[in-house]
Amino acid sequence: DDQANLPYKYEMLERWFNHVKEEESIFAITCIGLYTGMRLDEICCLNKEDFIDECFQITNGKTRSSIRKIPVHQILIPLVQKLLHSSKNAFLLSDLRPYKNDRSHYVGKLMTTRRKQLGFQKRKHTFHSFRSNFMTEMDNNETDISVTETLVGHSHKNLVRDVYSSGVRMNRLRKAINQLSYGNIDNKVKEMINHHA
């Protein structure tokens, strides 16, 4: 289905952020999703100790490629510091109410409700759309596809995966992440993060 998980247009992102800016968990999860390309369940399962050297360490996932290190965008650092500071348990996002063992269940439903309130089309725009935004921007920045795949945890079709072997790799990942920009949305997000701090 070509019409599923489409990236959000900038004006939609703007409306989304205005709509959820007072809901701390949704706001934080959106920011992390948009600037790291992480999946919803990966974000919801982050432990405080998964934040190392200004990177998120993903320690479990569907496939071997899901296990990875993602440099955290400069814009997000103050937000992550605040979450670490205010967390009441081992999780980075301590306020999420789990359903059985699924920490993304309720917040996922809530985000679906918020999208509906904004009139975003079901399936066409989803949480996964933030990942699509991330990949689209990486593409527009002419980021090497192997770098993007490493960041989002997709397996490389024919590349030997050696993310941890050389320092060069992490520098490249960090550079690619920090070059990521959503234009005016960046300023809006920075303002909102300051406001939350």
Side-chain angles (χ1 to χ4, degrees), residues 29 40 44 103-113 115 127:
I29 290 169
L40 179 60
C44 296
R103 290 180 54 80
S104 64
H105 179 83
Y106 288 114
V107 75
K109 282 197 170 335
L110 194 55
M111 290 175 106
T112 302
T113 304
R115 282 192 295 272
F127 187 82

Side-chain angles (χ1 to χ4, degrees), residues 146-157:
S146 66
V147 170
T148 304
E149 287 180 333
T150 300
L151 289 167
V152 296
H154 282 171
S155 57
H156 307 308
K157 298 298 166 269

